[in-house]
Each structure stands twice: as structure tokens, then as C-alpha cells.
Amino acid sequence: MFASMLAALANGQGVQVMPVDAELTTQQAADMLNVSRPYLIGLLESGEIPFRLVGRHRRIRFADLHQYIREDDSARKGAADDLMELDQELGLL
């Protein structure tokens, strides 16, 4: 873990250490996904990412957000693989 953190820092990337059970505000979660806060709220309200209400405020568990990121990355990779396969079938490559 430390080696990957140091490698990211060496490449000029930011590193964030957070407990898995931490809860994020909608703005923090949107920043982590690099999306707008209204877009994130749409994901929450559609059930894509679990959340809980604290009064009127939504809170997202870091573990749930991380799970969404992994699933989204996997879906994107699958779509890219499908496009590559289609390109090969059509002889575009």
C-alpha cells in the first residue's frame, strides 16, 4: 500500500488516506468521482450508490462509493473491449 502511495506521489498524483467506514458529503463524493454534485445526487436517488439521510443531508459511505467506482470501471472496460472486438470484426483495425 505504501509503495503504491509513494509511486502515485512520485508521478505527481494526489493521495488520500481515509477509513473505509468514513462517510462523505455529496460534494466530497462528487469531487472524488469528478462529477457535478447534481449528477451525483441523481446517482444516489436512482439507487446506483447507497446513501443515508442525516436530517436533510445525504451521507455516502466511502466503501459504497469505492464499490461504485470499481463497478463503473469494470463496465467501462467491458464496453471498450466490446468496441475493440466489433472493430476487429468489421475490419476497421
Side-chain angles (χ1 to χ4, degrees):
M1 176 175 74
F2 289 117
S4 64
M5 287 172 50
L6 291 173
L9 289 171
N11 289 329
Q13 297 172 325
V15 175
Q16 192 172 33
V17 178
M18 186 174 301
V20 176
D21 61 343
E23 287 190 326
L24 306 170
T25 66
T26 53
Q27 188 61 58
Q28 290 169 324
D31 290 344
M32 289 184 74
L33 292 176
N34 200 27
V35 299
S36 70
R37 188 174 157 276
Y39 181 80
L40 172 77
I41 290 171
L43 292 174
L44 298 176
E45 295 298 329
S46 70
E48 293 285 324
I49 304 171
F51 69 97
R52 72 181 186 102
L53 287 173
V54 178
R56 296 181 347 195
H57 303 281
R58 295 172 189 89
R59 294 292 181 257
I60 302 105
R61 285 181 358 131
F62 174 74
D64 292 333
L65 186 66
H66 194 262
Q67 177 67 27
Y68 172 80
I69 291 169
R70 282 195 308 257
E71 290 172 1
D72 188 56
D73 287 348
S74 178
R76 288 174 193 259
K77 183 182 180 320
D81 290 346
D82 290 346
L83 284 174
M84 288 279 288
E85 186 176 312
L86 184 59
D87 283 348
Q88 289 176 353
E89 288 175 10
L90 297 174
L92 298 175
L93 288 178

